[in-house]
Amino acid sequence: MPEGTGAIGAALVTGDQGHISEADAQAMRNSGLAHLLSISGLHVTAVVGFIFISVGRLLALSSWLALRISIPVAAAAAAALGALACTLLTGAEVPTVRSCIAALLILVALAMGRDALTLRLVAFGALVVLIFWPEAMAGPSFQLSFAAVATIVIIHEMPVVMRFTQIREEQVFFKIARAIGSLILTGIAIEVALAPIALFHFHKTGLYGALANVVVIPITTFWIMPLEACALLLDLFGLGAPAWWLAGQGIYMILALAHAVNALPGAVAMMPAMPLWAFAAFIGGGLVFGLLTTRVRYLGIPFCIIGVIAMIAAPRPDILVTGDGKHMAFVRSDGQVALLRGKAGDFVRSMIFEKAGSAETATPIEQWPGAVCTLDNCVVTIASEKRSWTVLATRTANQVPAMEMAAACKRVDIVVSDRWLPQSCRPKWIKADRRLLEQSGGLAFYLNEPRIIGANDGTHHMPWVQARVGAAAVQ
């Protein structure tokens, strides 16, 4: 395949994303196209649709067969075998299994002459997944995939959309325009439904994903995937190179679009951690609107609006502390972030910036306004709406004399350290040393309220928390 496209070509066939460059992967994520890299609905649909139509057309060429067997049933059976083979070939990951289940249900419905795309299909697919993987409900993959499918079904079952998309006698230009309009409408609806879920789990979402997918999905479905399937077959005879090259041209177009979208201003929206009730209000309102068919469904819209407003209004934390106390970040209202330790790894940085809802470059703590640092510690003064707060943070393992530490703690409001501090260290508000952090986990400080949220808040009943507390008591 052309240079730079082979890694994505392999991912589309096998699901292995390990060879994709970080720049390409980031561009795909920020442009809303990362779902193409996971073997799921789009890929299984392409395989099933290609086999179903091809087998049906081939069998229909024989009048003897057409008069003696049910061609749709035979085509559906062949497509079902193809869906199973595709799922096993790509490692039978959970998203692929979910898509395979949905495809099999649709094929059964087509074979029986029933309406295939209904909310019952979505519900049954979710039920099967939750029977085998009940923990999947809490994960973003389950929520995003089923929300997307449910949105497609709900939108296209609305009377106004059905009237717009129904087949009619008209010029080719209007048919194409109607099809593109349907794709754009569906894409926008999916983006609206998925953006809050993505923001809740990842604190960021793409803004131009709907438009990018309108271009990319047809290229992937009708160009890249069929060519890669042909290339795999031709490779049996050593003749697959031309098909791989042609598929690579399509992938090159997708990558060019992804990088172009990623370069647009505001391509990615980032938000800090939102309150759980805001997420619940949006999901609850969406379920009311989607599952009910009477006018009562419109009562769900205010709940969605309230949830979105609460998400947008969620404040940024002023201070973030990791669970081990080694890393600490100061966050301004404009998204600027300063790290206590400049050598924080990529994983720590990504987690901090996600929680802060910021895409800015980290500022060295020594350049932060109100910060006075030595080799061993930093004292930072932060002005909130009501008062100023003084924070003392240690950043080395060097010992500090107890009397000196006690005097320093007495002058500040907050002390953060990755070590056990003596009892004589008594700041004005809170001492977040290792003893406290082992119980609370990471901390987020909201100084305007003032309020502290711990990573372990609301999890004290969990068995692993109880075991940790018991071990600490024994020690």
Side-chain angles (χ1 to χ4, degrees), residues 149-232:
V149 177
T151 300
I152 294 172
V153 175
I154 291 167
I155 287 295
H156 287 273
E157 283 185 347
M158 297 180 66
V160 62
V161 178
M162 292 177 66
R163 288 195 297 270
F164 176 77
T165 58
Q166 66 184 0
I167 299 175
R168 63 194 72 187
E169 291 295 331
E170 57 185 353
Q171 296 179 3
V172 175
F173 172 79
F174 292 106
K175 287 185 178 181
I176 295 174
R178 196 177 300 279
I180 294 175
S182 176
L183 279 175
I184 294 175
L185 174 65
T186 305
I188 293 174
I190 292 174
E191 289 295 327
V192 170
L194 300 191
I197 302 176
L199 288 171
F200 179 77
H201 289 284
F202 309 115
H203 308 285
K204 62 181 177 180
T205 185
L207 298 181
Y208 308 118
L211 297 177
N213 276 284
V214 169
V215 178
V216 167
I217 287 178
I219 293 176
T220 305
T221 305
F222 301 113
W223 181 349
I224 298 173
M225 294 300 293
L227 281 171
E228 291 204 347
C230 291
L232 287 171

Side-chain angles (χ1 to χ4, degrees), residues 317-321 414 416 429-430 432 443-447 451-452:
D318 298 287
I319 303 172
L320 289 167
V321 181
I414 303 168
V416 177
W429 185 22
I430 185 172
L443 298 174
F445 291 77
Y446 297 84
L447 300 181
R451 176 169 60 101
I452 303 174

Side-chain angles (χ1 to χ4, degrees), residues 11 59 63 68 96 133 189 200 210 257-258 266 270 300 377 407 416 474:
L59 294 179
S63 59
R68 287 166 175 78
T96 317
W133 301 281
F200 179 77
L257 178 64
M270 296 197 67
N377 58 62
V416 177
V474 171

